[in-house]
Structures are given as structure tokens and as C-alpha cells.
Amino acid sequence: MNAKITATGAYLPEKIMTNFDLEKMVDTSDEWIKQRTGIEIRHIADKETTAELAAKAALDILKNSRLSASDIELIIIATVTPEHPLPATALFVQEKIGAYNAFGFDINAACSGFTYSLSVANAYIRSGMVKNALVIGAETLSKIVDWQDRSTCVIFGDGAAGVLLEAVDDDSVGVLDMVLHSDGRYTDLMIVPAPGSRYPCSEEVIKNRDIYIKMKGNETFKMAIRSIAGVSQEVLDRVGLNFGDVDWMVSHQANRRIIEGVAKRVGLDMNKVIITIDRHANTAAASIPLALDWAYKSGKIKEGDIVLLNSFGASLTWSAGVIRW
Ligand code: UT7
């Protein structure tokens, strides 16, 4: 059995924050943000929670599929901004969409969360344990961003999107292979220090602003292009394809310059690269499925296309997958 993406779906919160809005909050400019990141706007969930965004994305996926909520067997939510420390956000999504025949859990692999989750769902389907899975990346990063830190607050956004993965009796289609990496020597590059078992909730962690994202952006940037290009080559080698066979590259949308750097390094024309960072910003685990959903619904990705997914995130995780759509 292979696992094939049979539907996509997405949800973005209504509120939009522009670079000009940010100019009024921190010492930054529209020009700096556009030039250094490619971002023009981001969506902000000021009223909705992560599970609410994820549930709306799940309903959109189901609307675009031939299944109903009661048919779903597995729900995986990739997130670094869960509804609560416990229980898993997947259970709140299960309740909101009424998928009571499923089991669910969350995966935290930062910006690689969607690809990590896709690999898990793929393995469950290939093993025969389930016939289908909802795999959703959902984030409300605006709630863990330090709105006083211009080096991080300008790059993140909120949103949710995902796919329905279904078993198909055809090993030439669907997820052909995936490669995942992590390196725990770099956990300080991007971290939300508290609250957790090391730094439980206290007045001090709040005063130190340790409840917000801290990122060494430039050091992260320097490692990203080489890592993404390398893991993409690895997964293509495993399935006997090369970059010339790729119809679409859908990357984690962290920075337009990173994506362009990867395309240049591997010799891929930018007209085969999906870019959504201008209007979504960096939505961590939601960024790849948001880009996939847009590329599929706008008619770019078509049946039979070879789609290369790749990601890079805290701290550090990186991964790639090859899909025959
Ligand atoms: O999502 C997965 C993990 N994260 C990433 O992959 C993020 C990767 N990193 C990046 O995308 C980039 O490093 C950033 C967009 C975060 C920063 O861009 P950069 O070109 O690496 O800037 P920098 O940190 O080297 O800073 C350059 C200058 C500094 O000023 P000086 O020291 O040269 O005077 C910063 O203080 O830009 C300044 N700066 C800003 N200026 C205006 C930093 N943030 C801002 C800002 N507006 N928002």
C-alpha cells in the first residue's frame, strides 16, 4: 500500500497585519522586511485558538474529499503552539469535527512538523494500521512571539492547513519516500525557554520574556540552504529521481532568500518553486501545507506531478519528501 494525498484544505484567520502596521510597533520598515524576508503581510489569530484554526482546515479538507469525519482513522496535528500543554491539540480537533472513530496525537518538530507528521502517517498507512489520516500543521505563533523583538516578530504568522492521506493499491503514486534529520547540538538557535520542566511558569520567566521565541536568525539562515539542498538530494537519490524530474518544489516558507538560495544551489528554475511567504509569512508547521493547498487549488500541481517537499526548523530539524501527486 502507498499513501496518497487525496485532498487538501486550509484556514487563515481573518485579521491581516501588514509591514506598515509593524512599523508602528517596533523599529523596522516595510522595505527591510520585504528585502530581507520577502514578507508583505501575515494573518494573525487574535481571537481563535490553534485547535480552532486546525478544525477549520480539517473541515475544508473533508469538504474537498469523498470522506466524512466519521471515516477518519488518524489525526496528527503538527504544532509548536498547542491548545494546552496537555491534552494533545489533535483531541480538540477530533471533538470539533466529530471524528470519533479516529485516534490522534500531536508532533512537535517546529517548522519540520508537517513533513515529520506526513512521514508518520505514511508509515502507519504503509504498515496497514490505518487506511487514512488527516495530517494538519496549525500554528498561532503570534501568541509566543515577542512583540518587542523586531528580529523575530516581523517574520511569523498564524494559520492552519493540511492534507488527507489515503491508502492506495498502487506503489507508483503518493508519498514515494521521505528523509528526516535532527541535530540536538543546536537547540539554542531557536527556542522558547519557558514554561517547561526546566523553567516552570514563574514571575521570573515572564519578566525575562522567556515565554517568547528567541532565535539566532543569521546563524540559522547560514545552515538552512546547505541542509535543505542536501536532504532534498538524499531523498531524490533514494527514489532514483533527480532535480530535473521535479515539477514543483514546496519548501517551508521561512525566508524567500533561503528558498531562492536552495533553488539556485540545486539548479531548479524559480517557476517550479511555490512561494507563499509574501502573504503568509513564516507559519512554522503550517507553512508547507498552506503552500501545498494553494498550489493545488490554484491548478499548479496536477495529477502525476512530482512534488518535492523540504523543510528546515528549530533546532535543528530538516527533512524532505518526494510525492507523485
Ligand atoms: O523557520 C525556521 C527557522 N528560522 C529561519 O529559518 C530563519 C532564518 N533567518 C532569517 O530568515 C534571517 O536571519 C532574518 C530574517 C531573521 C534576519 O535577516 P538577516 O539578514 O539575517 O539579518 P541580521 O540578523 O543579520 O541583521 C542585520 C541587521 C542588524 O542591524 P546591524 O547590526 O547590521 O546594524 C539587525 O539589527 O538588521 C537589523 N534588523 C532589523 N532591521 C530592521 C534585524 N531585524 C530587523 C527588523 N527591521 N525587523
Side-chain angles (χ1 to χ4, degrees), residues 75 198 229 257 293:
I75 301 170
R198 190 164 184 187
R257 289 187 294 141
D293 178 70

Side-chain angles (χ1 to χ4, degrees), residues 116 181-189 223 313-318:
Y116 269 54
H181 290 293
S182 65
D183 191 334
R185 286 171 295 185
Y186 299 97
T187 47
D188 63 327
L189 285 189
M223 301 178 84
S315 261
L316 294 172
T317 58
W318 65 108

Side-chain angles (χ1 to χ4, degrees), residues 26-29 32-33 36-37 110-111 149-156 190 215-222 224 252-255 257-258 282 284 312-314:
V26 285
D27 181 14
T28 191
S29 67
W32 191 95
I33 301 170
R36 299 285 182 128
T37 70
C111 303
D149 175 8
R150 69 174 182 174
S151 69
T152 51
C153 74
V154 303
I155 65 177
F156 295 106
M190 189 175 169
M215 184 175 77
K216 295 180 181 162
N218 199 265
E219 286 171 55
T220 312
F221 187 101
K222 282 183 191 146
H252 166 51
Q253 310 281 309
N255 188 315
R257 289 187 294 141
I258 294 177
N282 179 347
F312 184 80

Side-chain angles (χ1 to χ4, degrees), residues 63-135:
K63 192 183 80 197
N64 299 324
S65 81
R66 45 177 196 84
L67 299 190
S68 59
S70 57
D71 298 318
I72 299 302
E73 297 183 19
L74 167 62
I75 301 170
I76 304 181
I77 304 295
T79 187
V80 294
T81 46
E83 195 80 349
H84 299 283
L86 82 98
T89 304
L91 275 66
F92 293 94
V93 176
Q94 172 181 35
E95 188 274 328
K96 286 179 193 305
I97 66 172
Y100 299 116
N101 296 319
F103 64 97
F105 52 86
D106 295 356
I107 286 183
N108 176 344
C111 303
S112 300
F114 178 76
T115 38
Y116 269 54
S117 301
L118 193 69
S119 78
V120 173
N122 182 45
Y124 274 53
I125 288 175
R126 278 174 170 259
S127 74
M129 196 166 161
V130 298
K131 290 192 296 298
N132 64 58
L134 280 179
V135 184

Side-chain angles (χ1 to χ4, degrees), residues 5 20 74 82 134 139 142 149 151 162 165 169 183 237-238 244-245 258 269 273 284:
I5 293 175
F20 300 103
L74 167 62
L134 280 179
E139 302 285 10
S142 61
D149 175 8
S151 69
L165 207 58
D169 198 5
D183 191 334
D237 286 347
R238 281 169 64 107
D245 298 312
I258 294 177
D269 200 287
V273 176

